[in-house]
Amino acid sequence: MAHSTTAAPSGSSQGESRRDFLLIATSAVGAVGTALAVWPFVHSMNPAADTLALSTTEVDLSKVAEGMAITVTWQGKPVFVRHRTADEIKMAEEAPLSDLREPTPDKDRVQKPEWLILVGICTHLGCIPMGQKASDPRGDFGGWFCPCHGSHYDTSGRIRKGPAPLNLVVPKYTFLTDSQIRIG
Amino acid sequence: MSAPAFNNKIIKWIDERIPLFTVLEHSTSSYPTPKNLNYWWNFGSLALFALVIMIMTGIVLAMNYTGHTSMAFDSVERIMRDVNYGWLLRYLHMNGASFFFICVYVHIFRGLYYGSYKAPREILWWLGLLIYLAMMATAFMGYVLPWGQMSFWGATVITNLFSAVPVVGNFIVTWLWGGFAVDNPTLNRFFSLHYLLPFVIFALVFLHLVALHTSKSSNPLGIEPKGPQDTIPFHPYYTIKDLYGVGVFLLVFMGFVFYAPNFFGEPDNYIPANPMVTPPHIVPEWYYLPFYAILRAIPDKLGGVIAMFGAILVLFALPWLDSSKVKSGRFRPVFKWFFWLFLADCFLLGWIGGKPAEGNYIPIGQAATFWYFFHLLVVLPLLGRLEKPLALPASISAPVLKEKA
Ligand code: HEM
Ligand code: FES
């Protein structure tokens, strides 16, 4: 009888370890199977293919006079394009790296010193920092000021003061001509 | 649990097959409740009443709401202007959320004063805290649905909290958004979850009540009933007292609904969401303000997020942090003062949370945050050891009988 073998009361240690093995193997397969079944539910919440489809944005720089800044949209996010003045460049280049929270020299954040291109999203909790308009507050370091929780960015978009942990992100971009860039 | 004898044949027939009436009778007419409960004990049933209002109004609102970024704002305006009684249903739901939180906050502070979280009610307390967490999540996602400026920027700031998690933070945020910014996929899933969570809360409230009916209600004296002379049946005595509370609640609640429906709201949320313009001053709904203040008190992103979640999580350890054997604050002369100080500190945090993060508000917020944790982690454990409580009465009935004699 099959029954007597599985329930063998006298229990050869051989039979027990075989049953242990079956139990562990079945549970393991079951656990992996369940985990695999959960993944489609989790992954369905990640960005869909159409959301992922990369878009690029082209910007005409000729209309941005020195000292001015414009905001463009790229993948639903604001991107700051700032035509820096000589003073602003000098401030950015001369800031000692030891004063920076995320120490990156200004030259690694620009392709041409007069053009600073940044994703305009505060690295703290995602507000759009102020400083694009001439009338905006620009914080203690002449760059941008995030009103949400008080983060100050310098003229290179680097975090100098406040709760944000990182510098404003420099997106990937290329100069198509001297006065035109493509972001993305 | 002996089954009561039912005279009605139909009731008897049903009860033998599914003991609905037995359960009902055990949790009402024959449920022994301490006879000295004061009005602070009304707020549990009021919270439940508020939850029912939220679910009822929510279901009919969902019939006219559209969960799409291009239509959400207008569909809410249509509810306000064109749908029959739409303005009433929406204002009931909007103000209902605030009143739900008011009831639960009173309910929680009742527990803090009378030591309701102490043995044998620790799990009852935990279930309450889980309800509270689920409420916060539900209200947060609900506030996103009208897709106004505060909806959008509140959602952006709060979901970005998760980017503070080391290594995987950004993946989590992208996953929450279903994209690279708060957008239509985010709105859609929030609608789905906002519909789901209240029913999760309902299930948790059910467990909360199962735990309550196992450990029984505590009472203002904080001593357990010594026998039938200390209790009265829940029904009709407390059903009628709870109903009286519902009457008073409705008076105040409907006063706001009819005469000040936007009192708790933010005018900016009547401006359609604009992902390119952050409002100069982002404030969450009032019931989050103390935690928002704690978040901003710490000048470090991860630290702020940990402190904020920690502020709620430490409450789970409260039954062990408060080491005093005496439950009720009434018999704890020193604790009593610290309780009121703590309450004042929470109000202070709430006030700071609504102010911009600048000037004097920053050090005040930091001091208030410090006190919040200091009270729970240092003052309470020390008080349990150092304080000399007053003598407890022999029983719930004893003090009353003595007065009469
Ligand atoms: C949807 C929210 C809630 C509902 C509907 C609810 C409902 C109730 C009801 C009806 C009672 C009995 C009546 C009373 O003692 O007031 C009760 C007791 C209790 N609740 Fe809640 N509750 C909720 C949330 C909470 C929360 C957030 C906490 C704590 C964090 C909590 C902690 C307690 C405790 C400790 C008791 C026992 C109190 C005692 O008898 O001393 N509850 N709850
Ligand atoms: S989002 Fe910019 S400081 Fe918090």
Side-chain angles (χ1 to χ4, degrees), chain A residues 41-48 51-52 54 71-79 101 121-130 145 147-150 162-166, chain B residues 153 156-158 160-163 171 174-181 183 185 189 193 274-282 292 295-296 298-301 305 356-358:
Chain A
F41 290 84
V42 173
H43 198 42
S44 76
M45 288 175 67
N46 269 322
T51 314
L52 278 176
L54 271 187
T71 308
V72 297
T73 319
W74 170 62
Q75 286 190 339
K77 292 179 283 206
V79 170
R101 192 169 299 170
I121 293 181
C122 180
T123 60
H124 182 227
L125 296 175
C127 292
I128 303 179
M130 303 179 78
F145 171 70
C148 288
H149 318 95
L166 299 174
Chain B
W153 289 101
T156 298
V157 168
I158 302 299
N160 263 307
L161 291 178
F162 293 91
S163 69
F171 295 101
T174 305
W175 179 72
L176 289 173
W177 288 340
F180 303 103
D183 208 334
R189 65 192 54 190
L193 294 173
N274 181 353
M276 290 298 130
V277 180
T278 309
H281 184 201
I282 299 185
Y292 198 56
L295 169 78
R296 299 191 302 182
I298 315 281
D300 171 79
K301 182 167 165 181
V305 173
E358 60 192 29

